[in-house]
Amino acid sequence: MIQVEALGRIVSGDEQGRYVYIQKPPDDPPSFLVLTAADPDLKVAGGDEWVEDFASLEQFFDEGNWVVEWST
């Protein structure tokens, strides 16, 4: 399950070993910003992608074959 506003580590798929954080900007309709980096502080070798809705976010994860362990 994809968690928003939680840090996760990609344990399988493209970008394995990197960290991911999903932000939900305060826009309407809701969209999502997918932040990735080599470190849990998201400061080293980072990147970002924008997706327009939750269905697109799920598709983004599916295309990368991401399995993520989320921090709780």
Side-chain angles (χ1 to χ4, degrees), residues 1-68:
M1 174 177 230
I2 298 173
Q3 295 188 22
V4 177
E5 305 290 338
L7 182 66
R9 184 169 170 91
I10 303 168
V11 295
S12 180
D14 296 346
E15 301 194 58
Q16 181 177 350
R18 294 175 60 82
Y19 292 87
V20 60
Y21 187 84
I22 311 300
Q23 286 184 337
K24 184 180 172 194
D27 53 358
D28 189 37
S31 65
F32 298 91
L33 185 61
V34 181
L35 306 171
T36 58
D39 68 310
D41 294 324
L42 304 173
K43 294 184 179 180
V44 178
D48 59 65
E49 296 286 336
W50 174 85
V51 295
E52 63 183 319
D53 55 27
F54 197 79
S56 298
L57 181 61
E58 291 175 317
Q59 183 178 358
F60 183 86
F61 270 62
D62 288 344
E63 288 174 2
N65 295 311
W66 284 5
V67 175
V68 176

